[in-house]
Amino acid sequence: MRVIFVGPPGAGKGTQAARLLERLGTPHISTGDMFRAAVKAGTPLGQEAERYMKLGQLVPDAVTIGLVRERIAQPDCAGGFLLDGFPRTTPQAEALEAALQADGVAIDAVAVLDVPDDLIVERITGRRTDPETGRIYHLRFDPPPADVAGRVVQRKDDTEEACRTRLALYHEQTAPLVPFYGDSGRMKRVDGVGTPDEVTARLLATLGL
Ligand code: AMP
């Protein structure tokens, strides 16, 4: 199955993707995670991406599209994939459609996680990651245990200022993907407000998994 997760930053795309992987049995492709890995490794791609990421801006389409094209051409994606954080612009969606069409395949479902802006800001600014395990916590909603609390870190783009930039970009550039996919009947809107378990249950039901 080829699935796309669309939603504002902090909608729970990464959290829900990790929960659905077992059912889907496909690779999880997060462009944000790929860029963060490239930044950490100090590759030329990472150096370019970091300039945009730390400001909460989008990495240019040409760079992002090339990265995803290469990734979905890998053998482990032959049976499907879960794309999280891509496409984020109409040119990215068009490039993805063209690449898949050339391979004679198509996206089966686009899950749109709806979360209101005020809740997004609260979720993002409280988000912290344990650098040792990669586990994501929230200072209020899911606080780290005492032995982990001392080492959690905040993503550079999770400050309130960068968060507001990312939200504005979402409304301006990513929200138009909803009509883009909506016309083809593959789009499923899912309420992203609630506990992670509640949202997972809604996603499983909506995707028929
Ligand atoms: P995420 O982890 O999905 O919130 O992505 C973190 C950051 O990586 C974004 O704010 C962008 O700077 C960059 N990024 C991730 N995916 C994309 C994309 N599809 N297009 C452009 N930039 C992206």
Side-chain angles (χ1 to χ4, degrees), residues 9-10 13 30-33 35-36 49 52-54 56-61 64 68 84-89 92 127 155 157-158 166 169:
K13 300 187 295 291
S30 155
T31 40
D33 285 351
F35 284 134
R36 277 184 288 278
Y52 301 94
M53 291 172 76
K54 65 182 179 203
Q57 294 171 358
L58 293 182
V59 178
D61 279 343
T64 312
V68 172
D84 153 14
F86 182 95
R88 255 182 165 92
T89 64
Q92 290 181 11
R127 180 157 71 178
R155 272 172 49 173
D157 56 353
D158 276 354
R166 290 159 68 204
L169 276 174

Side-chain angles (χ1 to χ4, degrees), residues 11-198:
K13 300 187 295 291
T15 302
Q16 295 301 330
R19 289 163 160 247
L20 256 60
L21 283 192
E22 219 169 277
R23 299 281 183 110
L24 283 169
T26 58
H28 168 208
I29 303 175
S30 155
T31 40
D33 285 351
M34 289 167 87
F35 284 134
R36 277 184 288 278
V39 169
K40 206 168 164 191
T43 63
L45 170 75
Q47 284 169 10
E48 176 165 17
E50 192 177 21
R51 298 209 312 259
Y52 301 94
M53 291 172 76
K54 65 182 179 203
L55 298 173
Q57 294 171 358
L58 293 182
V59 178
D61 279 343
V63 176
T64 312
I65 289 168
L67 183 76
V68 172
R69 271 216 192 109
E70 231 171 72
R71 180 65 189 89
I72 62 176
Q74 300 294 313
D76 64 335
C77 290
F81 48 74
L82 171 54
L83 275 175
D84 153 14
F86 182 95
R88 255 182 165 92
T89 64
T90 304
Q92 290 181 11
E94 286 167 350
L96 178 65
E97 290 283 287
L100 295 177
Q101 217 166 45
D103 287 343
V105 294
I107 295 296
D108 298 294
V110 181
V112 183
L113 278 172
D114 286 316
V115 179
D117 284 5
D118 50 354
L119 182 55
I120 289 294
V121 175
E122 197 177 6
R123 280 190 185 179
I124 288 208
T125 52
R127 180 157 71 178
R128 297 291 184 276
T129 309
D130 176 356
E132 280 185 24
T133 62
R135 162 88 154 81
I136 295 168
Y137 294 93
H138 189 281
L139 294 180
R140 223 181 102 209
F141 304 139
D142 180 19
D147 57 329
V148 175
R151 64 171 186 245
V152 294
V153 292
Q154 184 178 31
R155 272 172 49 173
K156 279 196 191 116
D157 56 353
D158 276 354
T159 59
E160 179 155 357
E161 196 189 350
C163 167
R164 295 216 179 263
T165 305
R166 290 159 68 204
L167 256 179
L169 276 174
Y170 174 78
H171 289 300
E172 186 189 311
Q173 303 204 24
T174 310
L177 293 183
V178 174
F180 179 93
Y181 286 111
D183 292 343
S184 67
R186 293 170 291 179
M187 200 197 68
K188 328 263 179 201
R189 296 200 86 119
V190 177
D191 181 5
V193 179
T195 65
D197 284 347
E198 285 164 352

